[in-house]
Structures are given as structure tokens and as C-alpha cells.
């Protein structure tokens, strides 16, 4: 074993010197002797830097299969599995771990974050509870638990955690943002003065954006439209200053996607997967979460939430790491990939989630609207549901949402309108290419004629319609999206759209959309 240790040291020296080829040589020699988890993790990182997405992923999975990892290495394996979205392995890794009591709070927090990502919110709560017993009143742990309690609809408990955070520190801007979103603020109970005071302090742009969006939300609740508009303008400008985005690049990407999928036939049916995947696509904030919750009123349906597994399967088959949901290199490689392999990777990534009696699974990542053509080629048995909402409503809802990075186009009214029009054009392309394969669900119809629409949706998905499919509250599953608070209410049809009081403020958006 002494020579293995020497080879590991040589490889680590090469990594420190930036000599990737030399490092790969030494770690490969170690792995040739036996499946050394540390060497496999090193090789995974090296392949990510210089080589193949596929090999990097495979090395991470090989490291996971060894199972026995010392503490620091265990977190590296966990992070590698998350990087490649190997959810089946993450689930097995977490559920196969039993020495929670011996972990420190940092490790417990890391495992809780991955459990939450998988939708295992109760497991995440258990791990955070244990971490907080070891490190009481830790603001990062309390904030994490508050966020998960929000996903579970435990709003009072979430607010208690956030107030406990405030008792320790007021420096974490995400606390203010989360607190503002938990409930509707009132003139008697709000944080407006506190938020303005916090914005008077020197803070980095990322934290200022949290505070500005929180201030917009609270002023909107109080009916102060001029103040809310001013806060939203400031928040969007702050967030936009941190983002690299080009409307021209989006336009080129959409054009390439359309031209590369023309005249590609797809079968009407495919091999039996053992379940039916239901992809819910559209713009963010278009009502996709509401539709998913209503579908979850049928016990045969598993609401899996926003999954990244299809994109991961495409990357693996194309052997390419994209910088976003999709890029031009992935599109150029898609013509030569094996879509049977895409399907196999996808099924492996999601099927573990299904419980006894569940025959359908919702995959509610709105941005899969990019992938409609690829989904139908890989999974012809899939059903595609497209949420359609009034353009101004949709764009306004995007504009006032502080995303983690998913919507770089949504912080400027002109860029947002341009992107919406490109999205609308791409969806029209999918309808022309695959007639009858995509069912449009109009948000206004869903909220005013819920039963009628859900009967059509159920039929399209091959499900029996049940009366429980008209009320999102009949579904007790967690909601880990920006709609976690709103979707806990009954279906509501607004007489006056939310954006109407902001009509003057939104004129650049309205005119660019051609709705002026």
C-alpha cells in the first residue's frame, strides 16, 4: 500500500501544479490496482476540467459504489453525484448512511440539502434537527429548515425559524427575502422600515438584490405601487448587473434548435417503461406548479417536481457539459446521439421515485420547453402538457421573482419580452412538428373551468378523472418552487390581473410584447 500512497501524493502534487495530464496518469495507476474512492473522485474532477462529461460522471458513480468513505471524501462524493444529477445514487447514498450522530453540523447540513433536492423534505428536516441539536441557533441551519418547512406548507414553524435567525444576525439578506414571502404583509405587521434600514448599509450586490426584492414584495402587499415599482426597478438592475446574458445568443440558440429538429419523425408509442412520464412545460411562473398539484389529486400520479434528469440524460449521451439548460454544442451533437441511451438514462434517474400503485410521474421543469422534440424522440410514450398564460401576466410574474439563476433574461423588461416571444415561437414550432402531441392548457381556463380542463388533461395523460383533481389542497406532497406559498390556497380566478396596477410601469414590456 506504500506505493499506492506515493502515487496518490504524486497525483495530488500534479493537481496542485495544474498538471492535469500528469495527475490523471498517477490516479489512473492507483485505480488500476483497486477501486480507490479518493483516486476516482480526483479522476472525476480531472475529466470535468479537461475531458469527458461521461467519464467524469462514471468515475463519480464508481466512487459512490464503494460505499465506505472517510468524512471529507464522503462530502466530495455527495457533491459529485449532485453535479451530475445522479439522483438514484444520491438517494441510495443518503438512505444507506446511518452514522448521522457521528457527523458534524456541516456534514448534516450538506446531506440535508441533497435530501431536500431529491424531494425528501422530512429526511432533510430530521438531519437539520440533529444538526441544530449539535449547533443550536445556527442561522444557516435555521434558514435551511425554514425554507424546507415552507416547501411542506408549515408556514408558522418556518416563521419561527426565521425569527430565531433574526435573533442571531440580521446580516443574511436571504432571511429577509424568505420572511417577506411567507405571508401577506399588513400595515400593522411588516418589515418595510427594517428593509430600508438594511439597504442603507454597505452590502454586496447579491445581498442587496434579496433586500430590494423583499421590499418590493412587502410594498406590493401594502398597496404602495409607486414604492413597489421603485424597489423592483432597483432589484432588477442590481441582479442584472451580476448576470451575463445576450438576447442575440438566445435568438441564435432557438433558431438552431428549430432548424435541427425539422422533419425528424417520432413514433406514436414506444417501449413500456413501467410508468408514463408527464412533462409540464412553459415559461416559469405560468401556472405549472398549480397544474402539477391538481394532477397529484389522483393517487396514481407522483408529483416529482422540477427534475433535471432529461437534460442530464442528454448531456451524458452527447458527452457534453452545458452551461445552462441547453447550448449550441449540445444541439449540434444531438443529431448523432443514441436516443435509446437518453431514454435509459432518464428512466434510471427517475423510476426510483415511484411508490406502489403509482403509474404516472410529473416532470415539471418549465424549461423543458426547449427539449420537447428530444423528449418525444427519446420517450415517445411521454405526454407533454404546455401551460399557457397571458403574456403580460407571465412576464410580470417573472420580473418580480428573484430566481437562483434559471432566468437570466427576466431582470429587464425588454429582454424579458423578447425572450417570451422567442419561447412562444418555439412552442408554435413544436406544435407544427408534432401535431397532437402537446396539449395546451390555458391558465385562465384552468382557474375558471377547472373540472372541464382537468378532465381533458386526465384523458390526455391516460388517467381517470377524480373529483380530487380540482383542488390543489387535496395533494399533501411538498412544493419546492417559487409557488410554494400560493399553491396551498384553492384555485383562484382574479377579476383584475395582478399586473394591472402596474400598467404604467410596465409600458416597455407591454409595447415590446405587442400588447400596447
Amino acid at each position: 500500500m506504500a506505493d499506492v500512497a506515493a502515487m496518490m501524493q504524486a497525483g495530488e502534487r500534479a493537481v496542485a501544479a495544474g498538471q492535469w495530464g500528469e495527475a490523471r496518469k498517477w490516479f489512473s495507476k492507483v485505480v488500476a490496482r483497486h477501486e480507490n474512492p479518493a483516486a476516482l473522485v480526483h479522476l472525476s474532477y480531472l475529466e470535468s476540467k479537461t475531458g469527458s462529461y461521461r467519464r467524469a460522471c462514471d468515475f463519480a458513480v464508481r466512487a459512490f459504489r464503494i460505499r465506505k468513505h472517510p468524512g471529507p471524501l464522503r462530502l466530495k462524493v455527495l457533491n459529485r453525484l449532485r453535479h451530475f444529477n445522479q439522483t438514484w445514487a444520491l438517494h441510495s447514498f443518503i438512505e444507506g448512511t446511518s452514522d448521522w450522530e457521528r457527523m458534524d453540523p456541516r456534514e448534516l447540513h450538506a446531506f440535508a440539502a441533497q435530501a431536500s433536492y431529491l424531494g425528501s423534505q422530512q429526511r432533510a428536516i430530521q438531519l437539520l434537527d440533529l444538526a441544530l441539536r449539535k449547533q443550536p441557533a445556527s442561522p444557516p441551519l435555521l434558514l435551511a429548515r425554514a425554507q424546507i418547512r415552507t416547501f411542506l406548507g408549515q408556514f408558522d414553524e418556518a416563521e419561527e425559524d426565521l425569527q430565531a435567525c433574526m435573533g442571531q444576525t440580521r446580516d443574511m439578506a436571504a432571511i429577509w427575502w424568505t420572511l417577506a414571502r411567507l405571508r401577506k404583509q399588513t400595515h400593522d405587521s411588516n418589515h418595510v422600515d427594517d428593509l430600508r434600514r438594511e439597504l442603507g448599509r454597505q452590502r454586496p450586490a447579491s445581498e442587496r438584490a434579496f433586500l430590494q426584492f423583499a421590499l418590493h414584495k412587502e410594498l406590493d402587499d401594502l398597496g404602495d405601487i409607486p414604492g413597489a415599482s421603485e424597489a423592483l426597478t432597483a432589484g432588477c438592475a442590481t441582479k442584472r448587473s451580476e448576470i451575463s446574458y445576450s438576447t442575440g445568443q438566445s435568438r441564435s440558440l432557438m433558431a438552431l434548435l428549430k432548424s435541427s429538429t425539422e422533419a425528424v419523425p417520432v413514433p406514436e408509442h414506444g417501449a413500456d417503461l413501467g410508468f408514463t412520464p408527464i412533462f409540464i412545460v412553459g415559461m416559469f411562473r405560468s401556472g405549472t406548479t398549480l397544474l402539477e398539484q391538481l394532477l397529484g389529486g389522483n393517487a396514481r400520479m407522483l408529483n416529482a417536481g422540477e427534475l433535471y434528469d432529461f437534460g442530464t440524460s442528454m448531456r451524458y449521451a452527447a458527452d457534453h457539459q452545458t452551461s445552462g439548460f441547453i447550448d449550441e454544442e449540445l444541439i449540434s451533437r444531438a443529431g448523432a446521439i443514441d436516443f435509446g441511451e437518453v431514454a435509459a438514462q432518464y428512466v434510471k434517474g427517475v423510476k426510483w421515485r415511484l411508490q406502489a400503485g403509482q403509474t404516472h410521474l410529473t416532470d415539471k421543469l418549465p424549461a423543458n420547453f426547449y427539449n420537447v422534440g428530444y423528449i418525444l424522440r427519446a420517450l415517445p410514450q411521454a405526454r407533454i402538457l404546455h401551460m399557457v398564460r397571458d403574456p403580460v401576466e407571465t412576464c410580470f410574474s417573472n420580473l418580480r421573482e428573484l430566481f437562483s439563476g434559471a432566468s437570466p433574461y427576466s431582470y429587464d423588461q425588454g429582454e424579458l419580452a423578447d425572450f417570451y416571444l422567442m419561447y412562444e415561437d418555439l412552442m408554435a414550432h413544436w406544435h407544427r412538428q408534432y401535431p397532437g402531441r402537446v396539449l395546451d392548457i390555458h391558465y385562465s381556463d384552468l382557474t375558471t373551468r377547472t373540472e372541464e380542463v382537468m378532465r381533458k388533461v386526465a384523458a390526455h395523460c391516460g388517467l381517470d378523472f377524480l373529483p380530487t383533481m380540482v383542488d390543489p389542497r387535496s395533494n399533501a406532497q411538498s412544493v419546492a418552487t417559487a409557488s410554494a406559498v400560493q399553491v396551498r390556497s384553492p384555485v383562484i380566478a382574479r377579476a383584475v390581473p395582478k399586473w394591472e396596477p402596474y400598467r404604467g410601469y410596465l409600458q416597455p414590456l407591454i409595447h415590446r410584447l405587442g400588447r400596447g
Side-chain angles (χ1 to χ4, degrees):
M1 295 300 292
D3 55 344
V4 169
M7 287 189 286
M8 287 293 296
Q9 291 171 0
E12 287 163 357
R13 286 195 298 270
V15 168
Q19 298 170 343
W20 312 131
E22 182 72 6
R24 184 187 284 111
K25 179 186 75 175
W26 287 113
F27 294 130
S28 296
K29 286 184 176 181
V30 173
V31 170
R33 296 281 189 92
H34 68 100
E35 291 284 88
N36 181 294
L40 289 166
V41 168
H42 275 299
L43 286 168
S44 179
Y45 279 111
L46 287 167
E47 291 294 345
S48 285
K49 284 180 175 294
T50 64
S52 159
Y53 177 94
R54 182 193 293 258
R55 287 198 298 269
C57 178
D58 289 346
F59 280 130
V61 171
R62 283 169 63 181
F64 148 73
R65 291 190 187 282
I66 295 169
R67 296 288 181 167
K68 294 181 180 180
H69 313 97
L73 181 61
R74 179 161 53 186
L75 290 187
K76 289 181 180 179
V77 173
L78 191 75
N79 289 334
R80 285 273 87 189
L81 294 176
R82 169 64 183 273
H83 177 78
F84 296 106
N85 196 47
Q86 296 299 296
T87 54
W88 63 274
L90 271 174
H91 173 73
S92 179
F93 196 11
I94 293 170
E95 294 307 310
T97 299
S98 57
D99 59 337
W100 304 117
E101 291 288 347
R102 292 201 293 272
M103 289 189 190
D104 63 34
R106 183 178 68 92
E107 288 180 287
L108 289 165
H109 191 178
F111 272 90
Q114 302 311 330
S116 177
Y117 175 70
L118 295 178
S120 302
Q121 309 302 348
Q122 294 294 351
R123 167 69 76 183
I125 289 285
Q126 291 169 1
L127 296 178
L128 289 170
D129 286 347
L130 177 56
L132 282 162
R133 288 201 295 273
K134 293 171 178 277
Q135 189 178 351
S138 162
L141 293 174
L142 286 166
L143 176 58
R145 191 169 68 178
Q147 291 167 335
I148 293 168
R149 284 175 161 172
T150 302
F151 298 157
L152 291 168
Q154 299 171 359
F155 303 130
D156 291 342
E157 294 87 345
E159 188 161 11
E160 288 175 8
D161 279 341
L162 293 170
Q163 294 296 350
C165 280
M166 289 294 190
Q168 298 298 313
T169 180
R170 295 191 162 211
D171 290 338
M172 294 172 64
I175 300 173
W176 295 100
W177 182 66
T178 309
L179 196 58
R181 292 154 57 88
L182 266 184
R183 60 176 176 82
K184 184 171 183 176
Q185 308 299 311
T186 68
H187 289 282
D188 294 330
S189 177
N190 63 75
H191 314 94
V192 169
D193 290 341
D194 289 325
L195 287 165
R196 285 176 168 152
R197 188 161 43 250
E198 292 298 318
L199 281 165
R201 299 169 52 195
Q202 283 291 112
R203 285 180 177 270
S206 58
E207 292 193 5
R208 292 188 66 80
F210 274 118
L211 295 169
Q212 288 159 337
F213 274 85
L215 181 60
H216 161 73
K217 160 61 168 65
E218 298 216 0
L219 290 172
D220 177 78
D221 285 347
L222 299 180
D224 181 354
I225 303 305
S229 300
E230 181 181 353
L232 183 56
T233 297
C236 285
T238 300
K239 185 67 175 178
R240 182 66 182 87
S241 70
E242 296 188 292
I243 292 173
S244 175
Y245 173 72
S246 163
T247 294
Q249 288 180 351
S250 287
R251 187 168 285 113
S252 296
L253 183 72
M254 300 269 197
L256 180 61
L257 191 55
K258 286 169 60 180
S259 64
S260 68
T261 54
E262 290 181 355
V264 178
V266 299
E268 288 296 319
H269 305 285
D272 182 13
L273 304 177
F275 69 102
T276 301
I278 309 295
F279 288 85
I280 303 176
V281 306
M283 285 285 287
F284 286 103
R285 311 296 294 153
S286 62
T288 55
T289 300
L290 173 60
L291 177 60
E292 181 183 50
Q293 289 296 105
L294 293 172
L295 277 166
N298 189 314
R300 290 172 59 197
M301 177 69 75
L302 168 65
N303 287 3
E306 295 185 352
L307 304 182
Y308 292 83
D309 293 82
F310 191 82
T312 299
S313 302
M314 288 290 293
R315 293 184 188 113
Y316 188 89
D319 198 13
H320 173 66
Q321 172 68 59
T322 63
S323 55
F325 290 116
I326 196 168
D327 64 15
E328 293 188 4
E329 179 62 23
L330 181 60
I331 295 170
S332 69
R333 294 189 184 199
I337 68 174
D338 178 357
F339 279 93
E341 182 178 43
V342 175
Q345 287 290 320
Y346 180 80
V347 171
K348 184 178 183 181
V350 305
K351 197 170 183 178
W352 64 268
R353 298 174 181 271
L354 293 163
Q355 303 295 316
Q358 292 175 329
T359 58
H360 293 63
L361 173 147
T362 53
D363 187 330
K364 191 207 73 70
L365 182 64
N368 268 325
F369 74 80
Y370 288 111
N371 290 320
V372 167
Y374 299 140
I375 290 168
L376 292 174
R377 289 182 68 184
L379 302 161
Q381 55 283 91
R383 301 292 186 269
I384 311 291
L385 304 176
H386 173 218
M387 278 302 303
V388 182
R389 193 175 186 181
D390 174 80
V392 181
E393 285 185 42
T394 303
C395 288
F396 178 58
S397 193
N398 274 263
L399 191 70
R400 64 198 301 260
E401 182 63 50
L402 182 57
F403 293 98
S404 61
S407 303
Y409 49 80
S410 67
Y411 303 103
D412 176 272
Q413 292 192 36
E415 290 175 337
L416 176 54
D418 286 342
F419 185 87
Y420 182 91
L421 294 173
M422 287 184 270
Y423 140 79
E424 196 173 49
D425 179 66
L426 181 61
M427 287 309 304
H429 168 76
W430 296 137
H431 277 294
R432 289 191 300 270
Q433 290 298 113
Y434 309 107
R437 301 303 301 273
V438 179
L439 178 65
D440 286 349
I441 298 100
H442 292 267
Y443 182 82
S444 58
D445 294 337
L446 185 63
T447 56
T448 56
R449 305 199 310 272
T450 307
E451 180 174 337
E452 177 187 339
V453 172
M454 288 308 298
R455 284 183 180 277
K456 291 179 181 178
V457 170
H460 185 76
C461 296
L463 282 168
D464 293 329
F465 171 79
L466 300 176
T468 48
M469 297 171 73
V470 299
D471 187 344
R473 295 171 300 176
S474 66
N475 179 8
Q477 298 177 57
S478 66
V479 181
T481 73
S483 303
V485 176
Q486 300 97 309
V487 82
R488 301 291 176 180
S489 303
V491 176
I492 298 173
R494 292 181 180 274
V496 178
K498 181 68 178 174
W499 63 269
E500 180 61 38
Y502 292 85
R503 179 180 287 275
Y505 169 73
L506 292 173
Q507 284 305 300
L509 173 74
I510 292 169
H511 284 298
R512 189 74 69 92
L513 288 170
R515 274 26 182 217

